[in-house]
């Protein structure tokens, strides 16, 4: 038994789930291709190919700070998702953490989750600051209303499996730009604001503030935001590998626009580090780290 089902039952459910996804994907592709034959749609897609020239000139390529920030964001997000799921579904915590300077005793997984959140927020703030200092903000901030019809065109092209033109080294397509804008400037702040409300550091002796912003509301928003990030990561990685894997990986891991294996092997190394950290996130290894700022006990 694994949970409430046998291994065979989980395998059957997995197979049915995969078959269902394949069938749903096929229906979506056929429907999208049907839409492209409707009157006016081909002309719309010719006028709006999926990308537009930004109003602000942006340097080509990705500087080192952007590439490192991208990896750290992925690394921290994976661990945040893991620790968040442990917090949500762990019935009996294996250990507890109490801060040295006073504070609420929490599960070791809550400590891990909030610590990773803090690092992720610092990484995000550094990214946004450097984004605007360097002028690269125009890559992910729309500079024209043309972004919306071009995003619709790009979405239709993705759904038909006829990928829109990729010029990521110079300019994202409109749909990519909108999604990155949503992730950086909407979803990430929502995750941070709701996470702070649910943390042990939130003042409990502020009745008016707690009535205005109750914990159940933050909890109801926080988990769907995590699901959004998971879906975004899955789709993002899928498109990276299906729209020119070697070149895309070179963009963000090797800092060049060539088609070589350098970026791929850097990606593999980063993935290995992330998997190792995922496996190492256990109370036995977490306790000494947490003990530097507090006391770790088993009850």
């Amino acid at each position: 038994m694994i949970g409430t089902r046998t291994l065979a039952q989980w395998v059957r459910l997995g197979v049915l789930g995969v078959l269902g996804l394949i069938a749903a994907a096929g229906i979506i592709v056929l429907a999208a291709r049907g839409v492209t034959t409707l009157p006016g749609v081909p002309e719309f897609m010719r006028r709006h190919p999926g990308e537009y020239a930004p109003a602000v000139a942006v340097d080509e390529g990705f500087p080192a700070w952007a590439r490192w920030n991208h990896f750290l964001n992925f690394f921290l997000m994976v661990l945040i998702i893991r620790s968040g799921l442990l917090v949500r579904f762990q019935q009996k915590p294996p250990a507890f953490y109490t801060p040295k300077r006073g504070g609420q005793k929490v599960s070791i997984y809550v400590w891990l989750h909030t610590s990773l959140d803090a690092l992720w927020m610092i990484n995000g703030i550094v990214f946004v600051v450097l984004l605007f200092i360097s002028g690269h903000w125009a890559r992910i901030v729309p500079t024209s209303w043309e972004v919306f019809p071009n995003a619709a065109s790009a979405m239709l092209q993705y759904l038909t499996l006829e990928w829109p033109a990729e010029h990521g080294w110079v300019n994202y397509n409109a749909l990519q730009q909108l999604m990155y804008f949503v992730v950086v400037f909407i979803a990430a702040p929502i995750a941070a604001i709701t996470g702070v409300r649910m943390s042990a550091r939130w003042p409990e002796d502020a009745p008016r503030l707690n009535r205005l912003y109750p914990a159940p509301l933050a909890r109801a928003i926080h988990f769907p935001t995590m699901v959004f990030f998971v879906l975004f990561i899955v789709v993002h990685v899928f498109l990276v590998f299906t729209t020119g894997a070697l070149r895309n990986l070179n963009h963000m891991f090797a800092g060049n626009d060539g088609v070589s294996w350098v970026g791929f092997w850097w990606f593999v190394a980063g993935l290995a580090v992330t998997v190792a950290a995922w496996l190492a996130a256990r109370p036995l290894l977490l306790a000494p780290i947490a003990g530097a700022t507090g006391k770790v006990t088993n009850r």
Side-chain angles (χ1 to χ4, degrees):
M1 299 294 294
I2 303 177
T4 58
R5 292 181 173 85
T6 65
L7 176 61
Q9 289 174 326
W10 281 115
V11 170
R12 283 196 294 271
L13 284 175
V15 171
L16 289 175
V18 170
L19 293 176
L21 287 174
I22 293 174
I27 293 171
I28 292 172
V29 171
L30 291 175
R33 293 189 175 184
V35 170
T36 61
T37 64
L38 296 176
V41 175
E43 177 60 25
F44 170 81
M45 296 180 70
R46 279 192 293 271
R47 292 199 315 269
H48 305 287
E51 65 176 2
Y52 67 97
V56 179
V58 181
D59 293 337
E60 295 183 4
F62 300 90
W65 63 263
R67 302 197 304 273
W68 274 105
N69 192 280
H70 179 267
F71 166 70
L72 290 174
N73 184 67
F74 170 76
F75 176 81
L76 292 171
M77 279 296 303
V78 168
L79 295 182
I80 286 171
I81 291 169
R82 169 168 165 73
S83 59
L85 292 174
L86 288 171
V87 170
R88 186 176 180 88
F89 298 109
Q90 184 77 44
Q91 295 182 350
K92 183 180 180 181
F96 294 88
Y97 168 81
T98 306
K100 286 182 179 179
R101 297 184 178 181
Q104 182 181 351
K105 181 166 68 174
V106 297
S107 160
I108 190 71
Y109 291 138
V110 171
W111 168 84
L112 175 63
H113 190 66
T114 54
S115 299
L116 292 169
D117 283 343
L119 294 175
W120 180 67
M121 290 171 63
I122 293 171
N123 189 59
I125 292 170
V126 170
F127 173 74
V128 171
V129 170
L130 293 177
L131 194 70
F132 283 95
I133 290 177
S134 66
H136 276 252
W137 62 269
R139 276 186 174 273
I140 65 172
V141 177
T143 58
S144 169
W145 292 110
E146 283 293 308
V147 68
F148 293 107
N150 276 287
S153 176
M155 172 65 82
L156 195 55
Q157 292 175 67
Y158 279 124
L159 292 178
T160 61
L161 298 184
E162 296 177 0
W163 309 130
E166 291 290 334
H167 306 108
W169 186 250
V170 179
N171 185 33
Y172 290 131
N173 69 49
L175 184 60
Q176 288 174 316
Q177 187 179 62
L178 280 180
M179 288 306 302
Y180 294 148
F181 178 84
V182 168
V183 167
V184 174
F185 296 105
I186 298 178
I190 288 175
I193 293 170
T194 54
V196 169
R197 175 62 184 91
M198 295 162 57
S199 73
R201 296 292 184 180
W202 183 267
E204 295 296 335
D205 56 346
R208 180 176 299 180
L209 180 61
N210 290 334
R211 282 197 302 270
L212 291 173
Y213 189 19
L217 174 62
R219 193 173 296 109
I221 298 173
H222 195 72
F223 186 75
T225 305
M226 185 274 290
V227 174
F228 166 79
F229 275 112
V230 172
L231 294 176
F232 172 80
I233 292 172
V234 170
V235 174
H236 179 66
V237 172
F238 172 77
L239 291 177
V240 164
F241 278 89
T242 55
T243 60
L246 294 181
R247 173 164 287 171
N248 290 333
L249 292 173
N250 274 337
H251 287 180
M252 291 310 301
F253 288 92
N256 66 69
D257 192 33
V259 181
S260 68
W261 290 88
V262 177
F264 173 80
W265 291 117
W266 275 113
F267 165 75
V268 170
L271 189 62
V273 171
T274 305
V275 171
W278 174 291
L279 297 175
R282 301 176 182 278
L284 183 64
L285 298 177
L286 295 175
I289 302 173
T293 58
K295 182 180 180 182
V296 179
T297 59
N298 58 4
R299 62 177 66 184

